[in-house]
Amino acid sequence: GLCIFSVLYPARLIPAIVNLAPSTNLASTRRTYIRAISHLCRELVLNDNLSRMSLEETTGTLRFMRDELQAIDKAIRLGDKDRGITVGADYRSLEHNRVMYEVGCPWRGDPDDDCLLPADTYPHAAMDGLSNLMLYFLDSVQNILDEHGAPEAGTRSVYNEAQDPRERSEKVHGHKERMDLLFTNVDLRFVKLAFDGDLYVGTGHVMELFKNETAEVLQQVHMENQLVASTSAGAVCVLLLAVPSDDEDGDCEAAKAKSFVGMIPMHALDKKEATKIKEFFTEPSSS
């Protein structure tokens, strides 16, 4: 029973491990989308045919990635069984909630930091936690799509599809007013900051929280398994010491049998009777 218990008791933590795996994976995917979206917003605004995607393709891909980023962020926080997360981080991690929703920017590593962003973007966006910063990012991307995207484009990603940009590169053209937007448009400047700024670093901080949480659960499983297994082994040792072993029982019975044989008056038996007694002690019983 103890042997079975030593396996079943730590096994109660398996759902937590299974839940943390997709959480960590989606946390990494979230960071990938942040950088890809930051890049695509720049390409969408410039629209100079130097990109391997057309304006319509860039618009469709950017729309898809924005919607997917929003869905992934929601799944990580609130859970999504279709994405493998049964319990969202909002319901299991106080540290996660502190980073996401409380005032401050703990991912910067300085408790005295004012959490301000450049004045020509949205300077207070990072002051109320990472979730608020994500909302600013998603809104800025949507503003860029509304202003510079192709209205007729759908919502489909061709980001990973092989394409030949040579046809468009033959018609490369630059627009000074579009280049100026890289430095004057508030939404674009804000989105560009996210490539390696607070949003990217903050989501990386959350991903490390998930990794540490996974390590703690695995350590607990290992510790409990060792504890219960040690208890089981100790109980077996106690039983072996308290109850005479089979070897001791065998030696005792052998001594009794030897004494019995020694008391048999062999000289009074005929050959057939002596053989019968010998066979009794040398051949295994049919029963």
Side-chain angles (χ1 to χ4, degrees):
L2 280 173
C3 292
I4 297 174
F5 181 72
S6 69
V7 175
L8 294 182
Y9 183 66
R12 78 191 192 286
L13 297 172
I14 288 178
I17 299 173
V18 173
N19 187 70
L20 280 166
S23 296
T24 307
N25 181 55
L26 285 181
S28 176
T29 304
R30 179 168 60 179
R31 303 184 82 209
T32 300
Y33 274 126
I34 288 170
R35 281 195 157 177
I37 288 172
S38 179
H39 166 73
L40 287 175
C41 282
R42 179 182 182 279
E43 295 300 315
L44 183 69
V45 170
L46 289 178
N47 188 29
D48 53 10
N49 280 343
L50 284 175
S51 171
R52 61 187 176 87
M53 293 187 291
S54 66
L55 178 64
E56 290 75 17
E57 290 170 334
T58 303
T59 302
T61 301
L62 188 55
R63 282 177 181 163
F64 171 84
M65 286 190 172
R66 183 203 173 277
D67 293 347
E68 190 69 5
L69 175 62
Q70 188 173 29
I72 287 174
D73 182 69
K74 182 179 178 180
I76 292 171
R77 293 183 294 105
L78 304 178
D80 185 342
K81 292 184 178 179
D82 292 336
R83 296 179 185 268
I85 302 178
T86 55
V87 181
D90 282 11
Y91 307 110
R92 69 169 195 270
S93 175
L94 293 176
E95 182 62 24
H96 166 269
N97 293 343
R98 187 177 73 86
V99 173
M100 296 298 296
Y101 306 115
E102 292 186 8
V103 174
C105 46
W107 56 86
R108 290 189 179 182
D110 183 2
D112 298 323
D113 197 304
D114 57 14
C115 302
L116 291 174
L117 297 177
D120 53 357
T121 58
Y122 296 110
H124 303 290
M127 296 181 65
D128 295 322
L130 194 63
S131 181
N132 188 64
L133 184 61
M134 176 65 75
L135 292 176
Y136 268 93
F137 181 78
L138 293 171
D139 287 345
S140 294
V141 174
Q142 187 60 54
N143 290 340
I144 293 170
L145 279 167
D146 293 342
E147 186 175 354
H148 300 284
E152 67 278 7
T155 304
R156 176 177 175 271
S157 175
V158 295
Y159 194 72
N160 294 321
E161 295 182 10
Q163 298 179 24
D164 185 358
R166 285 177 294 182
E167 181 178 349
R168 286 190 298 279
S169 64
E170 293 174 357
K171 303 176 182 179
V172 173
H173 54 269
H175 301 283
K176 184 179 183 303
E177 63 276 11
R178 288 181 175 271
M179 287 291 294
D180 291 341
L181 288 175
L182 297 178
F183 307 98
T184 59
N185 186 279
V186 175
D187 289 311
L188 186 56
R189 284 183 57 81
F190 180 77
V191 170
K192 283 171 56 186
L193 283 176
F195 188 86
D196 57 0
D198 281 87
L199 188 61
Y200 185 77
V201 175
T203 51
H205 183 76
V206 171
M207 187 171 68
E208 289 302 316
L209 291 179
F210 292 164
K211 289 181 179 179
N212 294 337
E213 189 177 353
T214 303
E216 289 173 2
V217 173
L218 291 174
Q219 185 178 14
Q220 184 178 354
V221 170
H222 182 65
M223 181 187 67
E224 290 181 355
N225 186 268
Q226 283 188 320
L227 179 62
V228 180
S230 300
T231 304
S232 175
V236 172
C237 291
V238 171
L239 289 173
L240 290 175
L241 292 173
V243 180
S245 65
D246 291 339
D247 289 339
E248 292 176 348
D249 291 340
D251 292 341
C252 182
E253 294 299 322
K256 290 180 181 180
K258 185 176 180 181
S259 176
F260 173 75
V261 172
M263 292 187 292
I264 296 176
M266 299 296 291
H267 61 278
L269 305 176
D270 59 22
K271 182 177 180 182
K272 185 178 180 180
E273 291 172 335
T275 302
K276 285 282 187 182
I277 293 176
K278 180 180 179 183
E279 289 175 353
F280 178 83
F281 288 101
T282 58
E283 293 182 4
S285 172
S286 60
S287 61

